[in-house]
Amino acid sequence: MHSTLSFSQATTAPTTNYAFHSQSPINLRFCGLRREAFGISILTRSSSGRVRLSTRGRSKRTSASTGNNGTPPKSFDYDLIIIGAGVGGHGAALHAVEKGLKTAIIEGDVVGGTCVNRGCVPSKALLAVSGRMRELQSEHHMKALGLQVSAAGYDRQGVADHANNLASKIRSNLTNSMKALGVDILTGFGTIVGPQKVKYGKVGFTDNVVTAKDIIIATGSVPFVPKGIEVDGKTVITSDHALKLEFVPDWIAIVGSGYIGLEFSDVYTALGSEVTPH
């Protein structure tokens, strides 16, 4: 019997809002993601009611320099540097470019951060699967539809791939949207080393140093694990491990009864685990 202890992490709750306005952009939101994350340009509705696709031109950039009281301007590499390319950093970068700022974003892991890679996006993909499983397992519901299902089953790796593929697609769209608008994506862990100065780089490689008039810290969060608990990824896991669905335990205790803990309870019970929430 495979037993597992899981720690769930609190993240921003997702919202989905489709709004149509005459002669104005259609608003699409999911976990704070802008439409660019879904590979969608601006959609507008004409006076005839027809929805059309349009593109937004690149904003004119300002020079990355400042000056006042007649003193020579101070030169910077960028107007704005953002540390962290999660949903918050991505939104800030696109907004900055729209305002004409020369912008760079630094990411030490993968673009998209927690929401896209280890949070809202893959968890909702797994919830979609659990919902289908419960529907197929409901004999009364199937009979009401005139359907006969002998036994509902699932392919664990296929389910995991479904969640991972969705995250990968949105991660790619986030990256492409920033590149298309001229945002420089700098790879490595960012550290503020002085006023308006940031170094970044990978372990074992020489660090690079860049300067900016302004800096935004958008480094996100990681799962909380109580002191004295050792996470081994097998018998004790975090929400990050649980989303990978590398195995489905016979029994799992979930520490944390917020919405993330409840989501995992739904997913794992639908896939056959006995779940004990704490």
Side-chain angles (χ1 to χ4, degrees):
M1 181 176 181
H2 193 167
S3 301
T4 302
L5 175 66
S6 174
F7 293 95
S8 61
Q9 169 195 4
T11 55
T12 304
T15 59
T16 304
N17 178 29
Y18 299 90
F20 291 82
H21 304 284
S22 178
Q23 297 293 347
S24 63
I26 293 174
N27 182 32
L28 172 61
R29 296 191 61 215
F30 179 85
C31 302
L33 290 169
R34 292 172 50 142
R35 62 177 63 84
E36 290 86 354
F38 302 91
I40 300 174
S41 298
I42 295 177
L43 297 174
T44 58
R45 182 186 288 275
S46 64
S47 57
S48 63
R50 178 174 298 177
V51 175
R52 65 176 182 270
L53 178 67
S54 61
T55 57
R56 178 180 296 171
R58 181 181 299 187
S59 301
K60 183 178 179 181
R61 285 181 170 180
T62 61
S63 60
S65 61
T66 59
N68 52 61
N69 299 326
T71 60
K74 183 177 180 180
S75 179
F76 296 98
D77 297 314
Y78 297 96
D79 294 307
L80 176 67
I81 290 176
I82 303 165
I83 303 176
V87 173
H90 171 265
L94 267 58
H95 182 70
V97 171
E98 289 171 356
K99 297 301 181 181
L101 302 181
K102 183 180 181 182
T103 304
I105 192 164
I106 299 173
E107 177 55 56
D109 190 10
V110 289
V111 170
T114 296
C115 176
V116 172
N117 300 289
R118 301 177 299 278
C120 309
V121 171
S123 71
K124 300 309 173 288
L126 294 181
L127 282 171
V129 173
S130 68
R132 292 291 187 273
M133 281 295 295
R134 293 187 187 283
E135 185 177 14
L136 292 172
Q137 291 168 348
S138 174
E139 183 178 351
H140 176 75
H141 178 64
M142 290 292 101
K143 185 177 293 186
L145 295 175
L147 301 176
Q148 294 180 351
V149 179
S150 57
Y154 66 91
D155 172 19
R156 180 199 58 77
Q157 189 58 54
V159 174
D161 289 344
H162 163 65
N164 184 61
N165 290 340
L166 178 60
S168 178
K169 180 178 180 179
I170 294 181
R171 181 169 61 247
S172 177
N173 289 338
L174 288 175
T175 302
N176 292 336
S177 67
M178 289 191 289
K179 288 182 177 179
L181 289 175
V183 176
D184 289 341
I185 302 176
L186 310 178
T187 303
F189 290 93
T191 304
I192 298 176
V193 293
Q196 301 170 305
K197 184 181 295 184
V198 179
K199 73 173 182 179
Y200 70 95
K202 295 182 178 180
V203 177
F205 293 86
T206 303
D207 289 333
N208 299 286
V209 177
V210 287
T211 60
K213 180 182 177 183
D214 294 297
I215 300 169
I216 292 178
I217 301 174
T219 49
S221 62
V222 294
F224 169 75
V225 178
K227 290 183 178 180
I229 302 296
E230 182 178 349
V231 176
D232 60 9
K234 296 179 180 179
T235 57
V236 181
I237 65 176
T238 67
S239 56
D240 289 357
H241 299 98
L243 284 171
K244 294 179 181 179
L245 207 69
E246 293 179 343
F247 58 89
V248 178
D250 297 314
W251 174 83
I252 181 171
I254 298 178
V255 180
S257 56
Y259 77 89
I260 293 180
L262 295 177
E263 286 181 344
F264 281 120
S265 295
D266 185 275
V267 169
Y268 277 89
T269 53
L271 298 182
S273 297
E274 180 183 348
V275 175
T276 302
H278 289 276

